[in-house]
Amino acid sequence: MLKILDPDVVWWSDGGGIVTAARVPVVGHEKTAHFVQQVMQWIDLSTTRVLRREVNGAPGLVMIDRTGLTIVLAFTVHDGFITEIDAVVNPEKLRHLHL
């Protein structure tokens, strides 16, 4: 993962106070990679659909688990490296999605 993350990558999370999310930005490729590893411990990929989608004009992923929890990730890419990751898990901001 470190090979695709810019050294100064920033992970932004939006849980809206409804769903647990990072309260402050995660900055740096090592901290972001570690954070993603921690998050992935809570996701069962055998029962989670992962869909590649364009998100607000950027490359992204939509993850939907069997409970209905949805995570939308948008990636800002510059010179072949991910420089920002915007993660939205706030169900109020995702209810317009018809998945």
Side-chain angles (χ1 to χ4, degrees):
M1 176 174 234
L2 293 174
K3 291 181 180 182
I4 62 171
L5 295 176
D6 185 86
D8 298 317
V9 65
V10 179
W11 173 289
W12 302 91
S13 297
D14 181 355
I18 299 169
V19 177
T20 302
R23 295 182 185 261
V24 297
V26 179
V27 180
H29 67 299
E30 289 184 8
K31 287 182 181 178
T32 300
H34 178 73
F35 181 76
V36 169
Q37 286 177 329
Q38 297 301 310
V39 169
M40 292 307 292
Q41 290 180 13
W42 295 97
I43 297 173
D44 181 357
L45 289 177
S46 69
T47 60
T48 300
R49 290 178 28 211
V50 180
L51 310 168
R52 288 188 301 171
R53 295 290 186 263
E54 185 173 291
V55 178
N56 296 330
L61 296 174
V62 176
M63 301 172 74
I64 310 154
D65 78 4
R66 60 180 159 59
T67 69
L69 175 66
T70 304
I71 302 168
V72 175
L73 302 171
F75 304 99
T76 302
V77 179
H78 183 72
D79 289 336
F81 293 98
I82 297 172
T83 58
E84 286 191 29
I85 303 167
D86 294 297
V88 179
V89 291
N90 180 344
E92 293 296 315
K93 292 186 177 178
L94 299 175
R95 68 178 158 182
H96 69 282
L97 300 176
H98 301 286
L99 303 170

